[in-house]
Amino acid sequence: MKKLINQPDDVVRESLEGFAAAFSGMIRLHVDPVYIVRADAPAKGKVGVLSGGGSGHEPMHGGFVGYGMLDAACPGAIFTSPTPDQMQEATRAINGGVGVLHIIKNYTGDIMNFEMAADLARDEGIEVASVIIDDDVAVKDSLYTAGRRGVGTTVLAEKITGAAAQQGRPLAEVADVCQRVNGYGRSMGVALTSCTVPHVGHATFELPEDQMEIGIGIHGEPGRARTALQPADQVTEMLMEPVIADLPFKTGDEVLLFVNGMGGTPLPELHIVYRKALQIATQHGLKVTRSLVGPYMTSLEMAGCSVTLLKLNAELTALWDAPVCTPGMRWGM
Amino acid sequence: MKKLINQPDDVVRESLEGFAAAFSGMIRLHVDPVYIVRADAPAKGKVGVLSGGGSGHEPMHGGFVGYGMLDAACPGAIFTSPTPDQMQEATRAINGGVGVLHIIKNYTGDIMNFEMAADLARDEGIEVASVIIDDDVAVKDSLYTAGRRGVGTTVLAEKITGAAAQQGRPLAEVADVCQRVNGYGRSMGVALTSCTVPHVGHATFELPEDQMEIGIGIHGEPGRARTALQPADQVTEMLMEPVIADLPFKTGDEVLLFVNGMGGTPLPELHIVYRKALQIATQHGLKVTRSLVGPYMTSLEMAGCSVTLLKLNAELTALWDAPVCTPGMRWGM
Amino acid sequence: MSGAPSTSTISHEDVLAWLRVYAQVIADNRGYLTDLDAAIGDADHGANMDRGFKAVIAKLMDTADKDISTTLRTVGMALISTVGGAAGPLYGTLFLQASQAAAGKTALTLSDWATMLDAATEGVIKRGKAGPGDKTMVDALVPAVQALKGAIAAGQSFPEALQSSARAAEHGMQSTLPLIAHKGRASYLGERSAGHLDPGATSSYLLIKAAADTWAGSY
Amino acid sequence: MSGAPSTSTISHEDVLAWLRVYAQVIADNRGYLTDLDAAIGDADHGANMDRGFKAVIAKLMDTADKDISTTLRTVGMALISTVGGAAGPLYGTLFLQASQAAAGKTALTLSDWATMLDAATEGVIKRGKAGPGDKTMVDALVPAVQALKGAIAAGQSFPEALQSSARAAEHGMQSTLPLIAHKGRASYLGERSAGHLDPGATSSYLLIKAAADTWAGSY
Ligand SMILES: Nc1ncnc2c1ncn2[C@@H]1O[C@H](COP(=O)(O)OP(=O)(O)O)[C@@H](O)[C@H]1O
Ligand SMILES: Nc1ncnc2c1ncn2[C@@H]1O[C@H](COP(=O)(O)OP(=O)(O)O)[C@@H](O)[C@H]1O
Ligand SMILES: [Mg+2]
Ligand SMILES: [Mg+2]
Ligand SMILES: [Mg+2]
Ligand SMILES: [Mg+2]
């Protein structure tokens, strides 16, 4: 394992300390329990937006705390959902009196921990709504499984929902916006290499030079299938076609195209994937009116990417364009 | 070699096409010769700021084209300086009538190609000034060598110089700002892994699991010395101490601390390095008043980082804070 | 670990001994559990459980003079606030439910233990909504409870009953090998999840086995 | 390649043949030159030269009816606008200077060729500011020029003189092996640059050798 770390058990704490120091103007780090919160929280009269999940996906979620996006984020151990006490205290810290929305990626651990936290917060008299993001078309959805994973759409949902909350909309409306983003977003990912969890010390899985994992999540887990490594254009097709087919996205739809890097893949490769994804979207009659390209939701140093398509309308586009000022996403201010 | 690419020879072109499509609001791609230019260039009455260099360092330089930073950037082949005709045409395209500044990293190839381009542009009657960035303390400076490499300070110089140009300052002043940033900035880097140049197909060098290269540049070249892999805190010391000693930075100095990722190192590790670098700076009595952390000047998928310290004053701080709107760096608008 | 009490019941001290033994078992199997999780999950189950039971041990320093129910409640709360992931709420619930079932008891009879494990397992099922055959810890816990109940009906001694439940949990754990996961992270793998033991079923088996081993001479 | 002309001069056609041969040599040695550059540089010299000489060949289609000086100028311009890096300006300058020295000539005598190579080498030295022993292409070029001049003074035949210069370039290239680089990218390595051949000295040797080989029967 080659990493710029000290002790594996200190990775999350030390990186959060560095992160908080580097972005002290925007965010504060609370310890015991651990959460990252907007420097100016709570915003009175504004719905608080909280997300969280395992660490190892940076900049998500802590990097999305700030004006116009999240009010707080709870980081867990690497690839491990945070605990209810973190979420409960963070919920309290960002409650401006009009309730808090929990944005939860659909993983059993995240769901259960957030559920417990919401119960605890409600016991304190805080109004809590929850939206579960489950946009990964690589996973078969079924009542008899854990359902689809929450992947790329989470980033878009946090931006758009945060903008709605920033406008001062009430909790039910903010939750509704988030729900609609989840309904309109679809993603799929591919890995060229595994990642190495620091306290494990070796790669989670071995992937030969000529193979790739298609349909991966964001926790260094193997994907749905292992196939021969393909040129970028073919890989992009393998990701885009199931995504487009699933909603389904239709001729004339305005969409946001998001090519996300898994951490170890450099920008030029993401742009090569974007190039092809744009061609495929255009061939399907989709109008790509907004784009996002970069490592926004990573799996440590994994090489690979995911593509997300989000169907837009005037309202969602305006919320996407609204000012945002966070360590990981910033425009308009 | 595991990369999301098609043909190795098409990597630069295809990634530029994707990049230009994703950021069409900010930049335009010119082909034959290839350069990236601000969507609204030339800005009449404003000094044009041009940089360029080999590809493989993204987001630098193309990702820094836009309001308040570069007016154009010339990308070469991977790790290969661009050619004079690119620079000449880009210079022409961004000449607002009051001259153009070339910001050049100190590499023999870059120097010679920019030199030729400046001669050609001057022949056309365009006023051209050049500033060479040579901030890498890992390399011994001497009249009898190629001198120090240009590394991390380049990013800061492009931001600050771009802001000065955006204010409408004349060419000599803009060049002077850039020169001062170079004089005040020092950097040093480390690699944990090599990178793989696409048309080569295998790693540039082999680095055993327990070794690192200290004093690397940004072209996947070996560094000054190979040493045992150390914990992040020690590595940070090995980078920071020579940087601090070189200017030298002194008690009471206000500084910008920039921890740059080489491409394959995830954000949490950069934050761990930032945390220690901040401690070391503080121990030396330096006041870190501005920070930048992230992969801004990369070597493809190389794992590693560099640290840069830039001595600030009120003027440079204000120029750093000034609005910037580029694909790779954005705030204030 | 604990001395052998004169009655055929489990004392508060025995419960503490069981928890200490299990914490050690988890520390010893941290790498193994994580490797199991690497194959079909996200390579953290061993680290999660170890972090949790290290916190449990630290907390238990304060509760030596409390009763069984309080101790189990402390364990549950400590797990919930330190483990995270799926295992945190599930093991946390397991101990909270066991705590409730043990309310007011200063010593546990075999039937108390069966009632507690039953309640604990029901709590896990309710929280995680997994059933037998979904390739989760439920596949180790449910057979353990059934074996306990069967042992009581058959009039087995406390040690025999504990051994029966540990064997049943072991079989339950092994039964997860060929299964396709329907719950938790392993379910994303679909058919690729078959051929691997479930990490949570393994840690649950170890929990039941630790009780049988620790209490072997305690009645 | 070219037929053997009757005079003991190098024709325009011979020059074209030399360039075509060299383009092929570079294509064949692309990987080798890049490997040399990987050791002490940035692993692109082979790719750079190959990209440049492919462009040269494409351009030369149009200049078959032009003269030697025009052809060499075309080569220099093509290299400058396609190679980049250090090699682009250096090899570009080499050919531009050779072009100037050949101005007005329809055929090259041995002394013309020596004059051209001398001017070309001076151009490289002026552009790159490297001297002998700095571990650059200069270390192959300077001995080649000296050998040519010596051969002329010694009254060697054209083929003998070409062979002398090729051998001198080869020795010059080999002399870079133990050197510590003082110029170019390899200089950043300091003492670690010793023990490796310089890629540019190697490509320069191949250029001189291609002339000797191509023109072996042309006088
Ligand atoms: N819905 C569920 N019901 C019961 N047990 C579950 C459920 N989901 C997961 N598990 C158990 O949790 C174990 C994984 O725990 P752990 O790795 O610590 O958490 P995570 O899956 O969040 O990384 C699985 O092996 C399985 O036994
Ligand atoms: N200042 C210089 N003078 C002469 N030759 C040089 C100089 N700098 C570099 N070279 C030559 O250029 C070669 C490297 O060329 P190349 O790899 O194509 O460019 P770059 O170094 O920009 O990647 C070196 O091996 C050396 O022979
Ligand atoms: Mg987990
Ligand atoms: Mg180069
Ligand atoms: Mg797990
Ligand atoms: Mg090179």
Side-chain angles (χ1 to χ4, degrees):
Chain A
M1 172 175 59
K2 303 192 89 171
K3 289 180 186 287
L4 286 167
I5 62 172
N6 295 303
Q7 292 307 310
D9 282 344
D10 296 333
V11 165
V12 172
R13 180 181 56 80
E14 291 183 351
S15 69
L16 285 173
E17 286 173 12
F19 171 68
F23 295 98
S24 56
M26 295 177 191
I27 54 108
R28 276 184 295 117
L29 174 66
H30 188 278
V31 287
D32 202 13
V34 175
Y35 58 87
I36 293 154
V37 61
R38 258 174 77 168
D40 57 352
K44 239 190 111 86
K46 185 187 101 62
V47 167
V49 183
L50 171 72
S51 192
S55 293
H57 307 302
E58 290 69 18
M60 185 182 84
H61 300 273
F64 300 146
V65 174
Y67 182 94
M69 210 160 166
L70 299 180
D71 293 274
C74 298
I78 295 207
F79 295 164
T80 301
S81 160
T83 58
D85 53 324
Q86 293 173 261
M87 299 156 182
Q88 179 192 6
E89 282 215 28
T91 299
R92 200 185 294 142
I94 64 172
N95 179 29
V98 291
V100 172
L101 177 70
H102 290 180
I103 302 182
I104 311 166
K105 302 190 300 302
N106 188 35
Y107 299 95
T108 306
D110 296 64
I111 300 274
M112 291 191 295
N113 284 287
F114 265 105
E115 233 169 53
M116 289 180 142
D119 287 347
L120 292 168
R122 285 191 197 106
D123 288 350
E124 290 183 32
I126 303 174
E127 209 186 339
V128 175
S130 301
V131 174
I132 292 164
I133 307 293
D134 58 347
D135 61 317
D136 186 352
V137 304
V139 173
K140 280 191 213 112
D141 198 5
S142 149
L143 270 181
Y144 308 103
T145 68
R148 286 177 164 179
R149 295 176 290 220
V151 287
T153 300
T154 313
V155 175
L156 312 180
E158 293 182 359
K159 166 64 186 85
I160 291 172
T161 306
Q166 197 65 58
Q167 289 180 344
R169 301 197 197 180
L171 181 57
E173 252 186 62
V174 173
D176 178 61
V177 166
C178 191
Q179 198 68 69
R180 279 186 286 142
V181 171
N182 184 52
Y184 282 168
R186 295 292 189 276
S187 304
M188 185 153 160
V190 65
L192 302 194
T193 65
S194 174
C195 55
T196 297
V197 177
H199 59 251
V200 178
H202 57 79
T204 302
F205 55 85
E206 288 303 328
L207 203 47
E209 266 293 299
D210 58 347
Q211 304 266 303
M212 62 184 186
E213 285 275 341
I214 192 107
I216 49 137
I218 54 168
H219 298 88
E221 66 270 57
R224 291 292 291 196
R226 187 166 285 198
T227 66
L229 186 61
Q230 307 275 324
D233 283 359
Q234 275 86 311
V235 174
T236 307
E237 263 172 37
M238 291 169 82
L239 300 179
M240 282 290 282
E241 295 297 347
V243 162
I244 291 177
D246 194 273
L247 189 55
F249 295 88
K250 292 204 203 73
T251 300
D253 279 355
E254 295 202 344
V255 293
L256 186 159
L257 171 56
F258 171 27
V259 175
N260 176 56
M262 301 309 294
T265 287
L267 280 183
E269 297 180 35
L270 299 181
H271 289 132
I272 289 173
V273 170
Y274 178 88
R275 172 184 172 275
K276 183 66 185 180
L278 176 62
Q279 285 173 7
I280 294 171
T282 308
Q283 279 156 16
H284 280 82
L286 310 183
K287 267 183 68 180
V288 176
T289 56
R290 293 295 182 275
S291 299
L292 187 70
V293 186
Y296 288 95
M297 180 192 226
T298 59
S299 291
L300 295 172
E301 74 280 54
M302 177 181 269
C305 74
S306 63
V307 297
T308 299
L309 277 184
L310 172 67
K311 186 168 154 163
L312 291 172
N313 56 31
E315 180 197 5
L316 296 184
T317 302
L319 290 169
W320 176 256
D321 290 343
V324 60
C325 181
T326 73
M329 201 179 282
R330 186 166 177 179
W331 56 73
M333 64 189 297
Chain B
M1 174 176 59
K2 302 193 90 171
K3 289 178 186 288
L4 286 167
I5 62 172
N6 296 302
Q7 292 307 308
D9 283 344
D10 296 333
V11 165
V12 172
R13 180 182 56 79
E14 290 182 352
S15 68
L16 285 173
E17 285 173 11
F19 170 69
F23 295 97
S24 56
M26 296 177 191
I27 54 105
R28 276 184 294 116
L29 174 67
H30 188 276
V31 287
D32 202 11
V34 173
Y35 59 88
I36 293 155
V37 62
R38 258 175 75 168
D40 57 353
K44 237 188 112 85
K46 184 187 102 60
V47 166
V49 183
L50 171 72
S51 192
S55 293
H57 307 302
E58 290 70 18
M60 185 183 82
H61 299 273
F64 300 146
V65 174
Y67 182 94
M69 209 161 168
L70 299 179
D71 293 274
C74 298
I78 295 207
F79 294 163
T80 302
S81 159
T83 57
D85 53 324
Q86 293 174 262
M87 299 156 182
Q88 179 191 8
E89 281 215 28
T91 299
R92 200 184 294 143
I94 64 173
N95 178 29
V98 291
V100 172
L101 176 70
H102 290 180
I103 302 181
I104 310 165
K105 301 191 298 304
N106 188 34
Y107 298 96
T108 306
D110 296 65
I111 300 274
M112 292 191 296
N113 285 286
F114 265 105
E115 234 168 51
M116 289 180 143
D119 288 347
L120 293 168
R122 286 192 196 104
D123 288 350
E124 288 183 36
I126 303 175
E127 210 187 338
V128 175
S130 301
V131 173
I132 292 165
I133 307 292
D134 57 347
D135 61 318
D136 186 353
V137 304
V139 173
K140 282 192 210 108
D141 199 5
S142 149
L143 270 181
Y144 307 103
T145 68
R148 287 178 162 177
R149 294 175 290 219
V151 288
T153 300
T154 314
V155 176
L156 313 179
E158 293 181 359
K159 165 66 185 86
I160 291 173
T161 307
Q166 197 66 57
Q167 290 179 343
R169 301 197 196 180
L171 180 58
E173 253 186 61
V174 173
D176 178 60
V177 166
C178 191
Q179 197 69 68
R180 279 186 286 142
V181 172
N182 184 53
Y184 282 169
R186 296 292 188 276
S187 305
M188 185 153 159
V190 65
L192 302 194
T193 65
S194 175
C195 55
T196 297
V197 177
H199 60 252
V200 177
H202 57 80
T204 302
F205 56 84
E206 288 303 328
L207 202 46
E209 265 293 299
D210 57 348
Q211 305 265 302
M212 62 184 185
E213 285 275 342
I214 192 105
I216 49 137
I218 54 169
H219 297 89
E221 65 270 57
R224 291 291 290 196
R226 186 167 287 199
T227 67
L229 187 61
Q230 308 275 325
D233 283 358
Q234 274 86 310
V235 173
T236 307
E237 264 172 35
M238 294 168 80
L239 300 180
M240 282 290 283
E241 296 297 347
V243 162
I244 290 177
D246 195 90
L247 189 53
F249 294 89
K250 294 204 202 70
T251 300
D253 280 356
E254 296 203 342
V255 294
L256 187 159
L257 171 56
F258 171 27
V259 175
N260 176 56
M262 300 309 294
T265 287
L267 279 183
E269 298 180 35
L270 299 182
H271 288 132
I272 289 174
V273 171
Y274 177 87
R275 172 183 172 276
K276 182 66 184 177
L278 178 61
Q279 286 173 7
I280 295 170
T282 307
Q283 278 156 17
H284 279 82
L286 310 184
K287 268 184 67 179
V288 176
T289 56
R290 294 293 182 276
S291 300
L292 187 69
V293 186
Y296 287 94
M297 181 192 225
T298 59
S299 289
L300 296 171
E301 73 280 56
M302 176 181 270
C305 74
S306 63
V307 297
T308 299
L309 278 184
L310 172 67
K311 187 169 156 162
L312 290 173
N313 56 31
E315 181 197 5
L316 296 185
T317 302
L319 290 170
W320 176 257
D321 290 344
V324 59
C325 181
T326 73
M329 200 180 282
R330 186 167 178 178
W331 56 74
M333 63 189 297
Chain C
M1 300 275 132
S2 75
S6 51
T7 63
S8 69
T9 56
I10 297 301
S11 67
H12 182 214
E13 176 126 333
D14 294 329
V15 168
L16 290 172
W18 167 50
L19 293 167
R20 282 193 213 100
V21 166
Y22 187 56
Q24 188 57 50
V25 166
I26 286 297
D28 294 344
N29 286 279
R30 179 187 159 121
Y32 175 61
L33 292 171
T34 292
D35 285 349
L36 290 181
D37 200 26
I40 57 171
D42 57 352
D44 63 357
H45 188 59
N48 290 347
M49 294 296 283
D50 191 36
R51 185 172 58 248
F53 276 88
K54 286 217 158 59
V56 163
I57 294 303
K59 282 269 157 134
L60 286 187
M61 304 285 182
D62 314 335
T63 55
D65 56 346
K66 305 244 168 60
D67 66 2
I68 293 175
S69 179
T70 309
T71 290
L72 294 175
R73 193 184 144 72
T74 305
V75 173
M77 294 305 289
L79 293 177
I80 286 172
S81 68
T82 56
V83 175
L90 290 167
Y91 276 97
T93 300
L94 184 154
F95 280 96
L96 290 186
Q97 292 301 321
S99 161
Q100 278 193 15
K105 309 233 180 254
T106 52
L108 305 176
T109 64
L110 178 55
S111 113
D112 288 339
W113 173 241
T115 306
M116 283 164 63
L117 203 61
D118 198 3
T121 302
E122 283 308 310
V124 168
I125 290 172
K126 210 163 161 196
R127 170 80 41 217
K129 298 178 189 69
D134 283 346
K135 198 177 181 118
T136 70
M137 48 195 285
V138 170
D139 290 324
L141 293 172
V142 165
V145 173
Q146 285 168 346
L148 260 189
K149 290 184 181 167
I152 293 172
Q156 285 183 11
S157 73
F158 208 147
E160 284 170 344
L162 287 173
Q163 289 304 330
S164 299
S165 69
R167 271 195 306 275
E170 185 172 12
H171 286 143
M173 166 198 76
Q174 277 158 352
S175 77
T176 65
L177 188 80
L179 294 177
I180 295 174
H182 293 130
K183 290 286 169 187
R185 208 174 278 289
S187 70
Y188 305 134
L189 285 179
E191 292 170 5
R192 292 177 85 190
S193 63
H196 301 273
L197 286 180
D198 178 61
T202 306
S203 57
S204 287
Y205 152 66
L206 293 172
L207 182 70
I208 305 296
K209 180 166 160 38
D213 291 351
T214 314
W215 297 336
S218 309
Y219 342 81
Chain D
M1 300 277 131
S2 75
S6 50
T7 64
S8 68
T9 56
I10 297 301
S11 68
H12 182 216
E13 175 125 334
D14 294 329
V15 169
L16 290 172
W18 167 48
L19 294 166
R20 281 194 213 99
V21 167
Y22 186 57
Q24 187 58 50
V25 166
I26 286 296
D28 295 344
N29 286 279
R30 178 186 159 120
Y32 175 62
L33 292 171
T34 291
D35 286 349
L36 290 181
D37 199 26
I40 56 170
D42 57 351
D44 62 358
H45 188 59
N48 290 347
M49 294 296 284
D50 192 36
R51 184 173 58 248
F53 276 88
K54 287 218 157 59
V56 162
I57 294 303
K59 282 271 156 128
L60 287 186
M61 304 284 183
D62 313 334
T63 55
D65 55 349
K66 305 244 168 59
D67 65 4
I68 292 174
S69 180
T70 309
T71 291
L72 294 175
R73 193 184 146 71
T74 304
V75 172
M77 295 304 292
L79 292 178
I80 287 172
S81 68
T82 56
V83 175
L90 291 167
Y91 276 98
T93 301
L94 185 154
F95 280 97
L96 290 185
Q97 291 302 321
S99 161
Q100 278 192 16
K105 311 233 179 254
T106 52
L108 306 175
T109 64
L110 178 54
S111 112
D112 289 338
W113 172 240
T115 306
M116 282 165 62
L117 203 61
D118 198 3
T121 301
E122 283 309 309
V124 168
I125 289 172
K126 210 163 160 196
R127 170 78 45 216
K129 298 179 188 67
D134 283 347
K135 199 176 180 117
T136 70
M137 48 195 285
V138 170
D139 290 323
L141 293 173
V142 166
V145 173
Q146 285 169 344
L148 260 190
K149 289 184 181 167
I152 292 172
Q156 286 183 12
S157 72
F158 208 148
E160 282 169 346
L162 287 173
Q163 289 304 330
S164 299
S165 69
R167 271 195 307 274
E170 185 172 11
H171 286 141
M173 166 198 77
Q174 277 156 352
S175 77
T176 66
L177 188 80
L179 295 177
I180 295 175
H182 294 130
K183 290 286 170 187
R185 206 174 280 289
S187 69
Y188 306 134
L189 284 179
E191 291 171 5
R192 293 177 83 191
S193 64
H196 302 274
L197 286 180
D198 178 61
T202 307
S203 58
S204 287
Y205 153 64
L206 293 173
L207 182 70
I208 305 296
K209 180 166 159 37
D213 291 350
T214 314
W215 297 336
S218 309
Y219 345 79

